[in-house]
Amino acid sequence: MIDKTQIIDQLNTKSFGHTVFSFDSIDSTNTFAKQLQSNDAPHGTLIIAEEQTAGRGRLQRNWVSPFGKNLLLSIILFPDFGMEKILLLPFAGSLAIADAIENVTGLSSTCKWPNDLLINGKKVCGMLLESSLGNSAQEKIVLGIGLNVNQEEFSEDLKSKASSLQLECGAVINRVTLLRNILEELEHRYEQLSHFPSQRLLNDWRMKALLFGKKITVLESEFSFTATAIDVNEDGSLIIETEDGLKRNIFAGDVSLAYS
Ligand code: BTN
């Protein structure tokens, strides 16, 4: 099990990762985080597990990860900003993790809207943002992160779409060093979002996104169509142009994307 004192030792943050709940096995770090009372779990609390028995992904999918290989974590946030910026937290999260990956492994990753990270075209990280009401009716946000770190094998159906940092750089990664870096970069991006206009964060995200001008397939429940990705709006929605020339905004809660 990743030891709390190992994480906190040398951690250079104001609040992120100062309170830690660490498990060998849990249903889902996000579910646990949502149930915690605010006074036990202040802003920046980290929940981490070696294994999840009911890990959840976006769009009601499962998130499966072998014991002790990857990073499965949730961070509790009590944002000091409104909903317009809360919607951009996955963008802050993607940038933070991309930076931490680069710091620790030298690998560069690209952001796939809304909140995946890809290396060499394969998914290495996904995020699940959820909210629940805190004690004082303050908005409580749980940012769940699943990062494939040292996983060596993927099932036949995932092989072409998913990878891990170890597979991409050919070396075993120290998960504690990476986690500390993630916490530091996350706090930095959270503060950027809090103190500066959203465009600053979105511009950084645009530079890491390979999507714009590309043909994409949009999957909306059972329905799918091709379009061109144009840009992201300030509310985090994606601007696309359909094949008949219509511009549309699509929202992360409704769709998933595939590159055509
Ligand atoms: C996705 O790409 O669909 C999002 C995956 C998010 C997975 C993480 S693992 C830690 C946290 N706990 C969960 O149950 N899910 C998130």
Side-chain angles (χ1 to χ4, degrees):
M1 183 156 86
I2 291 186
D3 182 36
K4 283 184 207 179
T5 49
Q6 271 184 300
I7 302 169
I8 294 167
D9 189 36
Q10 296 169 38
L11 179 66
N12 192 10
T13 58
K14 287 188 212 144
S15 59
F16 280 40
H18 287 206
T19 303
V20 181
F21 294 84
S22 177
F23 299 92
D24 262 336
S25 185
I26 196 172
D27 52 354
S28 150
T29 56
N30 262 39
T31 306
F32 181 84
K34 286 204 287 182
Q35 288 160 353
L36 278 172
Q37 294 302 311
S38 310
N39 28 355
D40 297 328
H43 179 71
T45 293
L46 168 72
I47 298 95
I48 183 151
E50 294 291 14
E51 172 188 76
Q52 297 182 124
T53 53
R56 295 183 286 108
R58 286 182 60 233
L59 308 169
Q60 272 77 51
R61 294 179 183 141
N62 297 330
W63 186 263
V64 180
S65 172
F67 183 92
K69 293 277 179 186
N70 296 325
L71 284 174
L72 304 167
L73 60 114
S74 301
I75 305 277
I76 294 178
L77 303 169
F78 292 100
D80 51 5
F81 40 72
M83 195 44 82
E84 72 293 349
K85 284 192 173 179
I86 289 176
L87 292 171
L88 300 181
L89 279 167
F91 294 78
S94 306
L95 282 170
I97 292 163
D99 288 341
I101 291 174
E102 183 143 14
N103 296 341
V104 174
T105 68
L107 289 165
S108 70
S109 38
T110 54
C111 297
K112 180 181 168 202
W113 185 89
N115 38 18
D116 291 349
L117 276 184
L118 311 184
I119 297 182
N120 296 323
K122 293 183 177 181
K123 177 163 170 171
V124 295
C125 181
M127 261 169 261
L128 179 66
L129 189 79
E130 298 186 290
S131 68
S132 66
L133 275 192
N135 283 358
S136 53
Q138 191 189 3
E139 195 80 43
K140 171 177 164 182
I141 302 293
V142 174
L143 178 64
I145 297 168
L147 174 58
N148 299 335
V149 183
N150 289 323
Q151 185 166 347
E152 288 148 295
E153 282 178 355
F154 286 87
S155 60
E156 238 5 90
D157 55 323
L158 282 181
K159 247 182 199 156
S160 60
K161 296 183 266 188
S163 190
S164 72
L165 304 185
Q166 181 182 330
L167 288 174
E168 295 306 314
C169 77
V172 178
I173 312 298
N174 182 320
R175 289 185 304 151
V176 176
T177 309
L178 181 60
L179 176 59
R180 242 189 257 123
N181 239 276
I182 288 175
L183 292 167
E184 289 166 5
E185 296 294 347
L186 269 176
E187 188 171 88
H188 164 71
R189 290 293 179 176
Y190 175 87
E191 291 192 347
Q192 181 186 33
L193 186 58
S194 169
H195 299 314
F196 296 98
S198 305
Q199 281 305 337
R200 193 181 283 210
L201 182 92
L202 284 174
N203 281 339
D204 288 350
W205 188 88
R206 285 182 181 104
M207 306 225 288
K208 285 210 165 281
L210 279 183
L211 197 64
F212 304 125
K214 292 243 165 78
K215 280 257 177 290
I216 50 168
T217 304
V218 183
L219 312 162
E220 246 174 346
S221 45
E222 291 110 67
F223 186 63
S224 85
F225 59 93
T226 51
T228 305
I230 306 290
D231 199 2
V232 275
N233 287 307
E234 277 220 14
D235 62 1
S237 61
L238 182 70
I239 310 171
I240 58 163
E241 188 173 315
T242 58
E243 283 182 321
D244 42 15
L246 289 178
K247 289 231 171 79
R248 258 187 71 183
N249 294 334
I250 55 173
F251 292 87
D254 309 328
V255 298
S256 64
L257 293 188
Y259 294 107
S260 300

